[in-house]
Amino acid sequence: MSIVPVLLLGLAGMLVGGVVTLVRQDATKFSVGLVAVLALISLAGGVLWLIPGDS
């Protein structure tokens, strides 16, 4: 088992928290969208890393 998916999913959680904080602070839509996209990429990477494949 690798530590990478755990790190990616943890990063996704922190980024989602950042999105919530940015929304509460009335940040620009661009900054909220950018952090949200980074959170989704991190989440997708962590989940895809867990899918078994040919090694």
Side-chain angles (χ1 to χ4, degrees), residues 3-26:
I3 191 82
V4 176
V6 174
L7 292 175
L8 285 171
L9 293 173
L11 177 63
M14 287 190 289
L15 287 170
V16 168
V19 168
V20 171
T21 301
L22 287 171
V23 169
R24 287 184 181 172
Q25 294 178 356
D26 292 327

Side-chain angles (χ1 to χ4, degrees), residues 2-53:
S2 177
I3 191 82
V4 176
V6 174
L7 292 175
L8 285 171
L9 293 173
L11 177 63
M14 287 190 289
L15 287 170
V16 168
V19 168
V20 171
T21 301
L22 287 171
V23 169
R24 287 184 181 172
Q25 294 178 356
D26 292 327
T28 63
K29 289 183 181 180
F30 175 77
S31 61
V32 174
L34 179 65
V35 177
V37 167
L38 291 174
L40 289 174
I41 290 171
S42 178
L43 178 65
V47 170
L48 290 175
W49 201 289
L50 291 173
I51 296 176

